[in-house]
Amino acid sequence: MQFTEEHQLFRKTLRDFIEKEINPYVDQWEKDGIWPAHEVLKKMGDLDFLGVNYPPEYGGLGLDYWYNVIRAEELGRIPCGGVPMGITVHTDMCTPALAEFGSHELKKRFLEPAIRGTQLGAIAVSEPDAGSDVARIRTRAESDGDHYVITGNKMWITNGTQADWICLLARTSPGESFEGMSLIMVPTDTPGFIVSRKIEKLGNWSSDTAELAFEGVRVPKSFRIGEEGEGFKLQMQQFQKERLIAAVTCYSGAERIVNLTKNYLKTRKTFGKPLIDNQYIQFRLAEVVTEIECLRQLCYHCTEKLVAGQDMTREASMAKLKGGQLVRLVADVCLQFHGGMGYTEEYPLARYFRDTRLFPIGGGADEIMMGIIAKYEGFYSERPRPTTKAATAS
C-alpha cells in the first residue's frame, strides 16, 4: 500500500491532536481508573476523526478503510492501552454493523451522534459464562408486541460505565446454537439497564470495563440491526474488523516500545560501553522488528482484501493471533533489556507489560484464532472446508 498525500495529512493531523489532547493526560487517567470519553470524543468528532469511512449522510467522510488503519496506528502509539481500546471500540467495534446494516432511522439515532462524538458506544457480546464461545450466550430479548424485553447479563464491556448506548447481541429465539440471535441497539438510559460493577483489571486501567445487567429492558423492535435471527452472522462480520484493528494497534504499540528501548540502550552503559553495542541485543531487536514488520504487512494485506470486498476472516484471524503473540514477545524482551528500571512503575515498560497481556485474550482468544485458521486450512481428518459462517462460529 502506498499512502497518498491525503492519507499522510490525516495521519499528521491526528498525531498532533494526540500529542496535545491525549498523551499529556494519560498518567492522570491511569491513576483515575477512567478516561473522559465524552470530552475526548467530542474533540475528535469536531475534527472528523471518528467517522472517516462512514457515509457523509450521517456525518462521516466516506473515505477508504485505510484511514481507519492509519487512525489505529496512531492510537496504538498512545502510552497506554486503555484509551486506544476505548476509542477503537467506539469507532471500529460497536458501529460497523450499525453503519452497514442498520436502518436509516437507526443510523440517525445512534450512528450520527457517535460520529459527532456526542454519544459513546459499547459492544456487549461476552457474558459471565460465554466469552469466546459466543454461541452459548443466554441474554434473551423476548418479543412483546412491537418491543423486545431484554433480560440477562453481559461481562467485560469496554466503555460500559460511560456508554450512551449498547450494541447488544441477544437471543430472540429459543435454543443454544448460533442461530436465533439478533443485534439490538439499547440506550443506557432505558429503565432496567444497570451497570452492575466496574471491573478492576491487571492492566488498561484508564479503560472502564463493566459488568452489565438487563432487567426487563424494553426497547422497540425497530432498534434491531438487520433481520431477526441474523445477529450472529452480523456480529461475526463485525468481529473481523475488530480483530484487524486490534492487530494494527499491536504492531504500532510494539514499534513505539522498541524505539523507546533502543533510545534507552544507547544511553545506558555497562562495562564501559552502551548496552546497544552488545551484539546479542542488536540481533534480538533485529528479530523483533522483523516480526513487527511481518505483522504490519499482514494487516495491510487484510485491508486490501477488505477494501476489495473479499473475505478476510482467515487472514484477520492470523493477524489477531500474531498480534497477541508479538506483544508478549516485545513486552518480555524490552523489559528484560531495561533491567530493574523496566520493572518499576515510573517507567513505561511495566504498564506496557500489563496492558498488552489482554491482546491474546480479548476479541477472541489465541486458541479461537487457531481454531478458525485450522478450519480454513482443512486441518481435520473428516471435516469439510468450512464456509465463512461455520468458520467464525468457534
Side-chain angles (χ1 to χ4, degrees), residues 19 25 62 70 75 78 101 114 125 148 159 175 188 206 243 250 269-270 281 321 335 342 345:
E19 288 294 331
Y25 310 104
I70 292 170
L75 291 174
I78 294 172
F101 302 105
V125 176
Y148 289 119
N159 297 337
T188 57
S206 53
R243 290 164 182 169
C250 280
K269 290 185 177 181
T270 58
I281 290 177
L321 172 65
L335 192 152
E345 283 295 329

Side-chain angles (χ1 to χ4, degrees), residues 32 57 70 82 95 110 115 137 171 191 204 252 254 258-260 267 271 273 337 381 393:
D32 294 341
E57 180 181 3
I70 292 170
T95 50
F110 297 106
I115 291 172
I137 70 169
R171 291 195 173 279
N204 294 286
S252 64
V258 170
N259 286 332
L260 183 149
T267 60
F271 304 104
K273 66 177 183 179
F337 288 165
S381 60

Side-chain angles (χ1 to χ4, degrees), residues 122-147:
I123 180 76
V125 176
S126 295
E127 299 181 1
D129 296 323
S132 294
D133 188 4
V134 178
R136 290 181 58 83
I137 70 169
R138 298 178 181 176
T139 297
R140 302 192 61 81
E142 297 183 340
S143 178
D144 184 14
D146 293 333
H147 288 72

Side-chain angles (χ1 to χ4, degrees), residues 3-44:
F3 290 113
T4 66
E5 184 177 344
E6 289 77 13
H7 285 127
Q8 299 298 8
L9 178 60
F10 176 79
R11 184 190 299 278
K12 182 182 184 306
T13 306
L14 178 57
R15 183 173 295 184
D16 290 345
F17 172 85
I18 290 171
E19 288 294 331
K20 179 182 178 181
E21 301 290 348
I22 295 180
N23 288 353
Y25 310 104
V26 163
D27 289 346
Q28 187 60 51
W29 296 343
E30 286 282 297
K31 291 178 182 177
D32 294 341
I34 196 167
W35 66 296
H38 289 90
E39 176 185 331
V40 173
L41 289 181
K42 181 59 169 63
K43 293 177 180 179
M44 295 185 73

Side-chain angles (χ1 to χ4, degrees), residues 245-284:
I245 291 301
V248 171
T249 60
C250 280
Y251 72 70
S252 64
E255 193 170 52
R256 175 180 65 86
I257 291 298
V258 170
N259 286 332
L260 183 149
T261 302
K262 176 181 66 176
N263 293 334
Y264 175 80
L265 295 174
K266 286 181 177 181
T267 60
R268 179 75 166 95
K269 290 185 177 181
T270 58
F271 304 104
K273 66 177 183 179
L275 271 173
I276 195 70
D277 290 340
N278 184 300
Q279 188 185 65
Y280 170 76
I281 290 177
Q282 295 171 353
F283 284 9
R284 193 72 180 104

